[in-house]
Amino acid sequence: MALSWLCSFGSPMMKCKRTLTLSALLGVTLALAVPTRAAAFLPSVSGWFEMSGGSARFIDEYGAFQDNQNYFVGGIDGQEYRNFFVFDLAGVNSPITDATLNLYNPSWETDDDDGFYGDATETFQLTSTTASVGQLAAIYTPNSTSGQAVFDTLGTGMTIGSLVASAADNGRTLSMTFNAAGLTYLNAHLGQRVALGGRLTTLSGTNDQFLFAYTNPNGGSPYLPMTPQVSLTVNQNVIVSAPEGSTMALLAPVLLGIGGMGVLKRRKRAE
């Protein structure tokens, strides 16, 4: 029961506040919004699509499925690649107030190859995507029109955030903060899986320009073992109920105010 519905000060219903019993006030349950940091989420699916329609996942020459989740993005040998990430927000049911996507970019010193190559800097843009999780996780071969359609949705939707990278970022984890539109997008997918698509917006000419080469979000690069390379961290407003022991402490100012109003009213009548 909230106090605000009873009456407002100075209204004809002021008398109803003074007739409330103490037991009724003790029965009030107060809901508080307390920001808490949720655990980091690892991607359930990630990968890339190339401009010709092929995807990261493939069936090798032995007929075995290769679950390649490398999140390479950019251009190489005249072919553009765009990446994607899928996160399962099944455990998130309260509003998200801020979010950060953390992406590891390998280096020659620790991983035997650099994740970044290109101009002095390259800009990576993350957006929403209209592709379904099923479409993103499927296998597409080069020249697949269906794969080309998915490729077109990556990095071209509603902008969620962006970052600028350079060779100095090889061997570093790059963090991208979600903008207001990105938070709205995440909150529209609470308790569900959410898909994100990315591309380099600074590609020019046919020279190789890329980021996040030789990656594996679950750890274990092609050469050296690694910790998980991708995570999504969020802050949420979690609604909790105030314990009974603190209810009176929270109500004390209200009770004192109500009592004071009554005293003032009695004095006014006596004048």
Side-chain angles (χ1 to χ4, degrees), residues 85-104:
F85 308 90
V86 177
F87 294 94
D88 189 351
L89 302 182
V92 182
N93 299 307
S94 300
I96 295 173
T97 58
D98 63 79
T100 303
L101 180 64
N102 307 293
L103 303 167
Y104 179 73

Side-chain angles (χ1 to χ4, degrees), residues 221-232:
S221 72
Y223 307 104
L224 296 173
M226 302 179 68
T227 56
Q229 300 174 348
V230 178
S231 66
L232 174 67

Side-chain angles (χ1 to χ4, degrees), residues 23-227:
S23 61
L25 288 173
L26 286 173
V28 174
T29 299
L30 299 179
L32 305 176
V34 181
T36 60
R37 178 168 294 279
F41 295 90
L42 302 181
S44 55
V45 186
S46 67
W48 48 255
F49 277 76
E50 59 185 8
M51 185 171 53
S52 69
S55 64
R57 287 164 182 71
F58 64 97
I59 303 297
D60 64 21
E61 63 269 30
Y62 303 104
F65 171 62
Q66 297 299 319
D67 187 19
N68 179 21
Q69 300 208 35
N70 179 302
Y71 47 98
F72 176 89
V73 65
I76 188 169
D77 297 331
Q79 180 88 274
E80 182 183 358
Y81 292 73
R82 298 177 181 176
N83 61 13
F84 69 88
F85 308 90
V86 177
F87 294 94
D88 189 351
L89 302 182
V92 182
N93 299 307
S94 300
I96 295 173
T97 58
D98 63 79
T100 303
L101 180 64
N102 307 293
L103 303 167
Y104 179 73
N105 185 52
S107 72
W108 176 266
E109 289 77 11
T110 57
D111 311 305
D112 282 355
D113 262 304
D114 289 335
F116 174 93
Y117 180 85
D119 297 329
T121 63
E122 301 290 351
T123 300
F124 174 65
Q125 176 176 279
L126 189 72
T127 73
S128 61
T129 174
T130 56
S132 68
V133 174
Q135 289 174 316
L136 292 170
I139 297 175
Y140 299 91
T141 56
N143 302 315
S144 163
T145 55
S146 296
Q148 291 169 7
V150 175
F151 171 88
D152 289 339
T153 73
L154 302 178
T156 57
M158 175 184 63
T159 301
I160 287 172
S162 65
L163 59 82
V164 177
S166 69
D169 293 311
N170 287 328
R172 295 182 55 200
T173 295
L174 306 181
S175 296
M176 177 189 298
T177 301
F178 280 51
N179 59 24
L183 294 178
T184 298
Y185 184 63
L186 288 181
N187 282 314
H189 292 81
L190 294 182
Q192 310 170 47
R193 289 184 294 180
V194 61
L196 313 170
R199 68 185 180 101
L200 290 189
T201 60
T202 48
L203 291 180
S204 60
T206 57
N207 292 333
D208 292 351
Q209 302 157 75
F210 54 77
L211 183 62
F212 306 130
Y214 308 102
T215 50
N216 181 344
N218 297 314
S221 72
Y223 307 104
L224 296 173
M226 302 179 68
T227 56

